[in-house]
């Protein structure tokens, strides 16, 4: 893979929280347009892994390159990378005092200095994509969890990211909302977005992921295409995890 085809590259990356070794010798290349699903038991380092990508967590050794930018200690590197990377969390973190539309236009107007009319047109385009255009003038408290999460995704897309990170975006939602949000994520995947998703939705993983990254105790234990991972996991720890998820 030539360097321009690589969206995210971890090279022997290590991360500690104090004396706790949270990420151990992580090596991973994510191609442009690739969809990675990260799975593994609770506490295995999934959130830490994806939070490193947009500089929410610093690492102590190794290299991390995102969209060709080496993520070092400089403020400019973190700022430049966040310009290219959108993130969507379990809790939607919408601004409660702003309408759906204003949530979506705030950063484009304030950070990217986009004129208001243009920012609103873009916001409506993405709100339509997530099927929330009819709710543009509502406030977050007037929406269901799934609707709020779809707005949070639209809000990220308004910043025109090259890469989207998801950290358990559906784990706080009811079943109907889960499928609404997964549909939006599947559409995004079909549109060619580079995605790294932490999720326990194994049906989604199977359908959408190009590769599954399985983590345990801060290590990447297995990287495989979904079919191989689900039908023929190579490691005892992957098998144990799948048994628990499937028998859940
Ligand atoms: P996962 O997302 O797979 O559940 P995390 O990446 O959140 O795992 O956490 C990995 C490990 O790092 C856990 O043992 C967790 O307790 C620890 N950890 C996470 N965040 C912090 C923090 N801010 N300070 C100290 N330890 C942390
Ligand atoms: Mg987590």
């Amino acid at each position: 893979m030539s360097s321009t085809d690589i969206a995210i590259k971890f090279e022997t990356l290590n991360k500690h929280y104090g004396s706790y070794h949270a990420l151990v010798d992580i090596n991973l290349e994510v191609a442009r347009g690739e969809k990675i699903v990260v799975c593994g038991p609770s506490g295995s380092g999934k959130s830490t892994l994806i939070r490193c990508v947009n500089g929410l967590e610093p690492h102590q050794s190794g290299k991390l390159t995102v969209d060709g930018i080496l993520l070092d200690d400089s403020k400019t590197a973190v700022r430049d990378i966040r310009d290219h990377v959108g993130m969507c969390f379990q809790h939607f973190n919408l601004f409660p005092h702003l309408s759906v539309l204003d949530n979506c236009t705030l950063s484009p107007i304030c950070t990217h200095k986009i004129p208001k009319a243009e920012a609103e047109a873009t916001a409506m385009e993405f709100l339509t994509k997530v099927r929330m255009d009819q709710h543009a003038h509502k406030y977050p408290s007037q929406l269901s969890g799934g609707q709020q999460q779809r707005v949070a995704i639209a809000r990220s897309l308004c910043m025109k990211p090259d890469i989207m990170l998801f950290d358990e975006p559906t784990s706080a939602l009811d079943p109907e909302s889960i499928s609404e949000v997964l549909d939006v994520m599947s559409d995004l995947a079909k549109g060619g977005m580079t995605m790294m998703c932490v999720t326990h939705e194994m049906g989604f993983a199977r359908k959408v992921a190009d590769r599954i990254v399985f983590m345990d105790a801060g290590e990447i234990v297995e990287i495989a295409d979904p079919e191989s991972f689900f039908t023929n996991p190579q490691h005892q720890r992957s098998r144990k995890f799948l048994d628990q998820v499937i028998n859940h």
Side-chain angles (χ1 to χ4, degrees):
M1 206 162 26
S2 89
S3 61
T4 51
D5 298 330
I6 300 172
I8 306 169
K9 185 173 187 176
F10 295 85
E11 293 169 89
T12 322
L13 180 137
N14 283 274
K15 153 97 194 153
H16 292 78
Y17 291 111
S19 61
Y20 183 74
H21 201 168
L23 295 176
V24 183
D25 290 342
I26 299 292
N27 287 293
L28 177 67
E29 281 183 9
V30 180
R32 285 194 192 285
E34 194 176 18
K35 293 90 187 76
I36 299 281
V37 163
V38 183
C39 63
S42 177
S44 57
K46 307 179 297 295
S47 296
T48 304
L49 183 78
I50 66 164
R51 288 166 64 85
C52 282
V53 174
N54 66 351
L56 282 174
E57 291 293 349
H59 54 276
Q60 282 78 41
S61 71
K63 270 168 70 175
L64 178 52
T65 312
V66 182
D67 244 356
I69 304 163
L70 178 67
L71 185 51
D72 53 22
D73 292 338
S74 69
K75 281 213 172 91
T76 49
V78 173
R79 200 188 54 213
D80 288 351
I81 283 172
R82 288 199 190 147
D83 242 12
H84 297 252
V85 180
M87 180 145 185
C88 184
F89 301 90
Q90 177 176 352
H91 297 289
F92 340 108
N93 305 321
L94 295 175
F95 298 111
H97 60 292
L98 295 180
S99 70
V100 163
L101 186 62
D102 290 343
N103 262 282
C104 291
T105 59
L106 183 70
S107 287
I109 292 172
C110 295
T111 311
H112 285 178
K113 310 292 174 209
I114 306 288
K116 185 164 185 252
E118 187 185 331
E120 289 186 346
T122 302
M124 287 311 296
E125 186 189 317
F126 287 115
L127 287 168
T128 304
K129 281 212 165 103
V130 302
R131 299 180 273 282
M132 285 300 292
D133 47 312
Q134 302 293 317
H135 303 276
H137 297 287
K138 290 189 180 167
Y139 285 84
S141 63
Q142 296 171 292
L143 304 174
S144 72
Q147 290 175 325
Q148 291 186 54
Q149 191 61 293
R150 285 185 281 146
V151 172
I153 294 171
R155 179 176 64 172
S156 288
L157 296 176
C158 286
M159 296 296 277
K160 309 272 177 82
D162 298 323
I163 299 166
M164 279 292 291
L165 309 174
F166 293 89
D167 193 357
E168 301 199 27
T170 60
S171 56
L173 302 176
D174 57 87
E176 193 185 339
S177 295
I178 290 175
S179 54
E180 291 170 7
V181 170
L182 294 178
D183 284 350
V184 163
M185 290 170 65
S186 300
D187 287 349
L188 199 56
K190 280 188 208 127
M193 179 65 78
T194 307
M195 294 164 66
M196 265 185 100
C197 312
V198 178
T199 179
H200 300 296
E201 294 296 330
M202 293 298 134
F204 171 83
R206 213 167 176 147
K207 203 172 70 191
V208 172
D210 295 306
R211 288 188 296 163
I212 309 280
V213 168
F214 173 73
M215 295 186 74
D216 194 17
E219 292 176 297
I220 295 182
V221 174
E222 183 160 350
I223 304 179
D225 65 88
E227 197 51 32
S228 313
F229 181 73
F230 287 108
T231 57
N232 188 20
Q234 294 301 298
H235 289 265
Q236 197 247 330
R237 287 192 275 180
S238 323
R239 286 197 285 274
K240 187 173 162 219
F241 172 77
L242 284 171
D243 277 349
Q244 281 164 351
V245 171
I246 289 158
N247 296 327
H248 180 63

